[in-house]
């Protein structure tokens, strides 16, 4: 079984530019999550998709961030325009169902550096 | 005050030592408690999870939850160099799924051969 795949693994952009991160969840996992870890801080929830619908986007920091999940498969997270404080590691995770015995499977993350 | 507090370390121990990793929390609504292991440049990987208070053992790993003290622990017996990683505690009010899961900052562990 292929794991959660994220692309790119690393992105360096200048302030004001646009970056799009992609996540391919494990096949058959309806639940897809985006998390972010900024330097020295905890991993924090950004949003949660169930299939193609946004279930919870309470963690999205502001309207410069846009997440989509076309057809309930892969997801993209666009940051436009990027700011310095957006630097960090963006993780995608998926799970099969909601509930106790459905752990998160994380990708290896995209390391975003905004200069 | 953070909802979950975890000492970032680093913690350095010799091979074979017993390692104790801990987290405290403030939200009494948390019911599910998880430990993730993260190797460098990789994503977190779920090690163990428990519901409510009590102990759970899996091989060399034991997770303990004390809800009365709002304190959780992960013990690693006979630690190995391959256990060197960052260990993240995580907790949520409902399930091991991602929604409302709160992570600790992670403790970096080094096991010296």
């Amino acid at each position: 079984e292929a794991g959660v795949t994220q692309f790119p693994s690393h992105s360096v952009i200048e302030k004001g530019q646009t970056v799009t991160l992609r996540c391919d969840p494990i096949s058959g996992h309806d639940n897809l999550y985006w998390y972010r870890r900024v330097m020295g801080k905890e991993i924090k929830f950004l949003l949660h998709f169930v299939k193609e619908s946004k279930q919870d986007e309470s963690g999205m920091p502001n309207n410069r961030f846009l997440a989509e999940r076309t057809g309930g498969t892969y997801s993209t997270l666009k940051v436009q325009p990027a700011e310095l404080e957006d630097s960090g590691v963006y993780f995608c995770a998926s799970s099969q169902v909601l509930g106790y015995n459905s752990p998160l499977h994380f990708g290896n993350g995209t390391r975003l550096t905004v200069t | 005050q953070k909802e979950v507090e975890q000492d970032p370390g680093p913690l350095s121990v010799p091979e074979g030592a017993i390692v104790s990793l801990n987290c405290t929390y403030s939200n009494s609504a948390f019911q599910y408690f998880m430990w993730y292991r993260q190797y460098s440049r990789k994503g977190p990987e779920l090690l163990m999870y428990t519901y409510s208070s009590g102990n759970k053992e899996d091989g060399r790993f034991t997770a303990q939850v004390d809800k009365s003290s709002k304190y959780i622990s992960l013990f690693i017996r006979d630690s190995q160099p391959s256990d060197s990683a960052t260990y993240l505690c995580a907790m949520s009010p409902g399930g091991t799924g991602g929604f409302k899961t709160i992570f600790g900052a992670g403790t970096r562990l080094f096991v010296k051969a």
Side-chain angles (χ1 to χ4, degrees):
Chain A
E1 171 183 86
V4 175
T5 305
Q6 291 188 247
F7 182 83
S9 59
H10 193 183
S11 180
V12 181
I13 61 172
E14 293 183 352
K15 177 182 173 181
Q17 289 185 323
T18 298
V19 64
T20 300
L21 313 181
R22 172 170 170 145
C23 169
D24 287 77
I26 293 173
S27 178
H29 282 195
D30 287 341
N31 295 278
L32 186 149
Y33 310 84
W34 285 96
Y35 283 83
R36 176 174 77 168
R37 182 169 189 162
V38 297
M39 183 67 73
K41 302 286 188 180
E42 302 82 8
I43 295 174
K44 290 201 171 177
F45 169 84
L46 294 178
L47 89 159
H48 169 209
F49 284 99
V50 178
K51 296 185 180 179
E52 67 275 10
S53 300
K54 291 177 185 174
Q55 185 76 13
D56 182 352
E57 52 184 329
S58 60
M60 295 287 263
N62 52 60
N63 59 10
R64 295 186 292 104
F65 290 75
L66 175 64
E68 295 180 325
R69 190 180 183 191
T70 306
T73 55
Y74 71 92
S75 174
T76 58
L77 179 65
K78 180 189 289 188
V79 184
Q80 180 182 29
E83 298 289 344
L84 298 178
E85 64 263 26
D86 300 333
S87 296
V89 182
Y90 290 76
F91 290 105
C92 176
S94 70
S95 68
Q96 194 165 20
V97 295
L98 291 177
Y100 173 54
N101 194 27
S102 183
L104 295 175
H105 297 265
F106 280 87
N108 289 332
T110 293
R111 187 174 299 271
L112 175 64
T113 302
V114 183
T115 62
Chain B
Q1 182 188 6
K2 294 179 182 177
E3 284 191 277
V4 177
E5 297 276 2
Q6 183 176 12
D7 186 339
L11 178 62
S12 184
V13 301
E15 183 176 359
I18 296 174
V19 175
S20 173
L21 304 168
N22 312 292
C23 290
T24 59
Y25 64 94
S26 58
N27 188 346
S28 56
F30 290 143
Q31 297 282 349
Y32 296 88
F33 303 91
M34 294 147 275
W35 286 95
Y36 285 83
R37 177 175 61 195
Q38 185 178 16
Y39 291 112
S40 180
R41 304 285 175 168
K42 299 292 187 181
E45 169 194 19
L46 182 66
L47 264 181
M48 300 179 69
Y49 61 90
T50 56
Y51 171 71
S52 195
S53 286
N55 294 0
K56 186 172 184 179
E57 188 173 321
D58 184 1
R60 298 184 294 110
F61 298 88
T62 299
Q64 288 186 350
V65 175
D66 182 349
K67 291 191 69 181
S68 62
S69 302
K70 296 189 175 67
Y71 187 87
I72 70 171
S73 300
L74 178 71
F75 297 95
I76 307 174
R77 291 182 298 280
D78 188 24
S79 56
Q80 303 295 309
S82 58
D83 295 328
S84 298
T86 296
Y87 290 80
L88 303 145
C89 63
M91 43 200 83
S92 83
T96 56
F99 61 101
K100 307 302 182 187
T101 298
I102 306 297
F103 285 84
T107 299
R108 292 194 67 190
L109 172 66
F110 295 95
V111 181
K112 299 170 294 185

